[in-house]
Structures are given as C-alpha cells and as structure tokens.
C-alpha cells in the first residue's frame, strides 16, 4: 500500500466516525428519554439552586449515551450538561419507561445522588 491509499483510508474512517458520532448525538437529543430528563431538570429546584437560571440542557458532547428497548419498555442513560447563568454542571442520569410512563431512576453529580423532584 502506498501512503496516499493509507491516508485516504484513515481520512475516510475519520469522516465515517465523525458522521456516526453526529448521528448518535442527534438521536440522543431528539429521543423521548432526553425530553423527559430535560423536563425533570427544568423543573428541579435543586438544579436551579446550583446553576441559577437554566440556559441550556444538552447531552454531553463526549459523554456516554445508551438506549435500550425491550417490547414497549425503554431504558436510557446519558451524561447531561446543564448550563446556567452562574455555572455549568454535569449529571449522569438513568430513566426508564414502563407501560408508557417515564420514571427517573437515578441522577448523579459525580458520586452524589440528587433528587430532581
């Protein structure tokens, strides 16, 4: 193999990886699970006390994202970045949908569990 073929192969793989990453990010941000989690965060007084007025809630760009479905049940876990007027925080969250109803299973900031209700 010559250098040009290797370079093209590496560039193609990098572009494919970047495109795949963008697709997964867009799927995450448009998922029902994220929308449920986003609403829980927006309504959480505890989060508002930490960040001030919430400006943006997004899945973390480099954070983990996992979504599973079995029949009508669904599980989602992701790292969420919350940006407020005073600071930004990251939460690791897990939610579950059973019988059409979403429930927040866990929300953690580092190793500390938070109650977003």
């Amino acid at each position: 193999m010559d250098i040009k073929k290797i370079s093209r192969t590496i560039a193609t793989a990098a572009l494919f990886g970047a495109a795949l990453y963008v697709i997964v990010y867009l799927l995450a941000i448009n998922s029902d699970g994220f929308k449920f989690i986003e609403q829980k965060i927006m309504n959480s007084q505890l989060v508002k006390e930490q960040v001030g007025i919430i400006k943006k809630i997004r899945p973390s760009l480099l954070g983990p994202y996992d979504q599973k479905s079995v029949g009508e049940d669904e599980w989602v876990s992701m790292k969420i970045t919350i940006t407020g007027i005073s600071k930004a925080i990251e939460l690791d969250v897990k939610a579950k949908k059973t019988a059409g109803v979403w429930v927040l299973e866990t929300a953690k900031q580092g190793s500390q569990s938070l109650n977003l209700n």
Side-chain angles (χ1 to χ4, degrees):
M1 278 189 140
D2 68 12
I3 297 296
K4 285 186 179 182
K5 273 190 170 182
I6 293 172
S7 296
R8 277 191 220 125
T9 302
I10 291 171
T12 301
L15 286 173
F16 179 74
L20 183 60
Y21 183 80
V22 168
I23 289 168
V24 169
Y25 185 80
L26 290 174
L27 287 173
I29 205 163
N30 290 304
S31 71
D32 288 339
F34 173 74
K35 291 174 183 173
F36 167 76
I37 292 166
E38 180 181 41
Q39 197 60 44
K40 287 297 253 184
I41 291 169
M42 288 297 290
N43 293 329
S44 171
Q45 190 60 36
L46 183 61
V47 171
K48 290 175 187 173
E49 288 171 4
Q50 289 189 37
V51 302
I53 296 170
I54 297 171
K55 294 169 56 178
K56 189 188 312 182
I57 301 170
R58 294 282 182 241
S60 179
L61 281 175
L62 300 176
Y65 172 76
D66 188 31
Q67 183 174 350
K68 295 179 183 151
S69 297
V70 176
E72 303 233 351
D73 295 342
E74 196 172 332
W75 295 264
V76 67
S77 64
M78 64 181 77
K79 185 177 287 278
I80 302 286
T81 301
I82 304 150
T83 306
I85 60 169
S86 61
K87 72 176 186 176
I89 61 171
E90 287 191 329
L91 299 180
D92 290 305
V93 294
K94 292 182 182 181
K96 177 181 177 182
K97 180 172 87 170
T98 306
V101 178
W102 281 99
V103 175
L104 189 65
E105 291 186 316
T106 62
K108 292 184 178 183
Q109 185 178 10
S111 62
Q112 180 182 4
S113 291
L114 301 177
N115 183 353
L116 299 185
N117 293 321

